[in-house]
Each structure stands twice: as structure tokens, then as C-alpha cells.
Amino acid sequence: MSTPLALFPLLALLAVPAPSQAAAIDVAVTNVTSTRGRIHVDICPQEKFLKEDCPYSAEAPATIGTTVVTVPDVPPGRYAAQVFHDRNGNGKVDRALFGIPTEPLGFSRDAPVHMSPPKFADAAFDHGSERQRITLALRSFL
């Protein structure tokens, strides 16, 4: 049995797996103590965790109590969230002597911070193809 030439493009499309659906992650940031500035959220794969160039990020005006920041279009995968309250709007975490953050920080799964940044494994969560919500608390270190 022969296949008509017109069917080859259709067969080629069927052989390609469908792309995974990206979905939003709503990050509920608790322990916000001031309306000054913005809450900045980065969603990072392991190789970008604790760096300034995470591929998925968003921010929202700070709201006392809980601020929800929606990061759109995150593909399925394993990620960790890093969050800071950018009180002065300069787009970065301000630091004091010895690199201690002067602005509140938080990490997904409220990963512990003990004299050094948290490990990716302590902050990691899985994200699928449906919208999800995670919650974390900001912490001050000074």
C-alpha cells in the first residue's frame, strides 16, 4: 500500500510531540510590612537560582500583609522562587557590610537561610501545565 505524497506533511506533524503548556504562577508573599516600593518575584530553574537573570519574573506594588504577584507563562519544570521587597525601586537587593541584605527576602517553601543563601533543593517546587499558587514569607536579616 502506498501513501499519497499529500499525506507526508500531515504525518510529519503528527510525529512531532505537542509543546508543553506554560501556565502562570501566583506567588502570595506574606509578611509585607510597608507599601513603599514593589515586591519582585523571580522563578528560577536550578542553574539560575540566586542569580540576577532568572528567566521568569514579575512584580507588583507592595501591599501591607500579603501581596500577590503573578508570573505569567512559566513552562512545566522544577523551579525555586526568590523574592525581595524593592523598597527604593532600584531593581536590586540592597546589601550592607558583608553582603547582608538590607531589604526583606523570601524563598519558596520558606527555605531556611543559615549564614548563607538557601539551597535550591530546599526551595524547589514542581510546576505543571496548570496555573498554581505558592505562598512564602518575607524575612528581614538586619
Side-chain angles (χ1 to χ4, degrees), residues 18-88:
S20 296
Q21 292 288 87
I25 300 175
D26 297 316
V27 182
V29 181
T30 66
N31 203 30
V32 179
T33 60
S34 166
T35 59
R36 197 172 74 211
R38 300 180 70 77
I39 303 298
H40 181 92
V41 174
D42 290 318
I43 303 293
C44 312
Q46 185 168 3
E47 65 274 5
K48 298 289 186 175
F49 184 57
L50 301 176
K51 297 190 167 72
E52 294 181 10
D53 60 343
C54 289
Y56 311 102
S57 61
E59 56 185 33
T63 303
I64 291 177
T66 300
T67 301
V68 178
V69 180
T70 299
V71 182
D73 302 323
V74 180
R78 190 152 181 81
Y79 299 98
Q82 55 192 37
V83 177
F84 72 98
H85 185 167
D86 187 10
R87 289 181 173 162
N88 61 4

Side-chain angles (χ1 to χ4, degrees), residues 90-102:
N90 67 354
K92 63 180 185 172
V93 177
D94 293 325
R95 299 183 183 276
L97 192 61
F98 305 114
I100 298 170
T102 61

